[in-house]
């Protein structure tokens, strides 16, 4: 299966009242584990790199080739979208040139007029190459690649204006945050989500999908959320499984070569796949017929 843009996938999700997961990759294990989950469930999936993760892995072009070559080597047959997560203006332009299928231009920290104009430019550049574009309105709480958001609610009129630029999906702030949710988190604002979904037919995106209770995820999807981003949840699952392996001192078993990185990383990789499959079920993503 060759990489594809997200237009048909997420338009179908909005119409069908289900969501498709967007999962961040951080290295080869992450890539293989997430793609394995998509293949096992026979569902479309979006794999994405943040600016920081792409820098860590060696750049956007390397990340793209990693995903393309892994799809080929694993015999992946389900649709896969390669996406830039929370890209600034320059990163979005670079990923368009490199050949990603989808980019997010995150201009929420800019004055709205500047966010709007730069979003229009990214839409023009990306659509000329048959690539999807995601924009953001309303700050997503927490920190993502140095961009700090307080978790404000998206302004409905600003969201309508940004959607009118022709973006293919729109990330909205409805009380969601990046990273681990604090104990005093008030939950998602379903009232604001309804206001947004009533006037915007563009597929809506829920960032900070890690840590939101299952029942709130399911409700948000039923109300118009078509793309749910997951990153921290996979990191926590990987760390927990890896810690258990080391605390059991399996890495010290010289006879079994427990120190071999392929064995050391295997429990964490499986945990990523298992968590991804669980979230796909939460989102109600239907299998490919």
């Amino acid at each position: 299966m060759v990489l594809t843009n997200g237009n048909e996938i997420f338009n179908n999700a909005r119409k069908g009242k289900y969501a498709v997961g967007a999962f961040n990759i951080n290295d080869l294990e992450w890539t293989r584990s997430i793609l394995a989950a998509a293949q096992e469930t026979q569902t479309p999936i979006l794999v994405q790199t943040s600016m920081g993760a792409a820098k860590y892995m060696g750049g956007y072009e390397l990340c793209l080739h990693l995903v393309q070559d892994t799809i080929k080597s694993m015999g992946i047959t389900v649709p896969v979208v390669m996406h830039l997560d929370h890209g600034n203006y320059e990163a979005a332009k670079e990923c368009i040139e490199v050949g990603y299928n989808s980019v997010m231009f995150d201009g929420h920290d800019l004055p709205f007029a500047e966010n709007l104009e730069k979003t229009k430019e990214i839409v023009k550049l990306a659509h000329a190459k048959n690539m999807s574009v995601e924009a953001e309105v309303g700050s997503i709480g927490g920190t993502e690649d140095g961009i700090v958001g307080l978790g404000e609610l998206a302004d409905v009129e600003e969201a309508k204006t940004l959607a009118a630029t022709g973006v293919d999906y729109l990330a909205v702030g409805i009380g969601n945050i990046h990273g681990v949710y604090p104990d005093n988190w008030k939950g998602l604002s379903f009232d604001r989500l309804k206001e947004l979904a009533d006037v915007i037919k563009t597929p809506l995106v829920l960032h900070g999908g890690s840590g939101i209770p299952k029942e709130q995820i399911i409700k948000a999807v039923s109300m118009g959320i078509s793309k749910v981003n997951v990153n921290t949840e996979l990191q926590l699952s990987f760390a927990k499984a890896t810690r258990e392996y080391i605390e059991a001192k399996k890495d010290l078993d010289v006879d079994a070569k427990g120190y071999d990185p392929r064995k050391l990383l295997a429990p964490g990789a499986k945990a990523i796949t298992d968590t991804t499959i669980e979230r796909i079920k939460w989102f109600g993503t239907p299998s490919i017929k």
Side-chain angles (χ1 to χ4, degrees), residues 126-236:
H127 284 184
K129 295 190 174 185
N130 195 32
M131 299 175 182
S132 305
V133 177
E134 176 181 346
E136 180 175 319
V137 61
S139 175
I140 309 301
T143 302
E144 183 82 6
D145 275 354
I147 299 175
V148 179
L150 300 177
E152 65 193 44
L153 302 183
D155 180 274
V156 176
E157 290 305 314
E158 288 186 354
K160 286 172 60 179
T161 301
L162 207 56
T165 63
V167 296
D168 303 290
Y169 15 95
L170 183 65
V172 292
I174 53 173
N176 43 317
I177 69 172
H178 292 117
V180 177
Y181 281 75
D183 293 336
N184 63 350
W185 180 58
K186 297 179 180 180
L188 297 178
S189 173
F190 293 108
D191 288 342
R192 181 53 51 91
L193 176 55
K194 184 178 187 305
E195 291 180 83
L196 292 163
D198 282 348
V199 296
I200 298 170
K201 300 310 175 186
T202 304
L204 301 178
V205 182
L206 180 65
H207 282 248
S210 300
I212 299 176
K214 179 181 179 180
E215 60 273 16
Q216 290 195 36
I217 291 280
I218 293 173
K219 183 174 181 179
V221 169
S222 73
M223 293 175 65
I225 292 294
S226 307
K227 174 177 177 280
V228 182
N229 282 28
V230 180
N231 183 19
T232 302
E233 206 95 68
L234 301 186
Q235 293 179 352
L236 292 172

Side-chain angles (χ1 to χ4, degrees), residues 90-101:
E90 295 303 324
K93 289 199 297 182
E94 183 176 348
C95 286
I96 290 169
E97 287 302 313
V98 165
Y100 274 47
N101 308 100

Side-chain angles (χ1 to χ4, degrees), residues 96-109:
I96 290 169
E97 287 302 313
V98 165
Y100 274 47
N101 308 100
S102 180
V103 297
M104 177 186 185
F105 166 58
D106 181 358
H108 85 265
D109 57 333

